[in-house]
Amino acid sequence: AGISIPLANNGLALSWNLPDTDYSLQFAPGLSPVAWADLTLPGISTQGNSKTVHVTRSALPNSGRGFFRLIKH
């Protein structure tokens, strides 16, 4: 599974391919040192073979800057 992050009005539109069973969306404010944390967002929708969620910059830690990943548990 990979993440697509196109810019949207006032934020980002994250989307990833299905299936995503046992995957968690994570966010890190920087990579040195890296500190990944699960990111739970409201409004995740399924559209065909992918999931999408709009993320406003204010909803992100670290002033709207950082890194995303999907990790399998």
Side-chain angles (χ1 to χ4, degrees), residues 8-53:
N9 291 339
N10 190 33
L12 308 168
L14 300 178
S15 62
W16 57 93
N17 295 332
L18 296 173
D20 65 350
T21 305
D22 298 326
Y23 280 86
S24 294
L25 180 63
Q26 294 188 330
F27 177 83
L31 295 178
S32 183
V34 67
W36 294 105
D38 287 349
L39 186 61
T40 304
L41 299 167
I44 296 175
S45 64
T46 301
Q47 300 172 343
N49 253 2
S50 65
K51 285 189 177 176
T52 303
V53 64

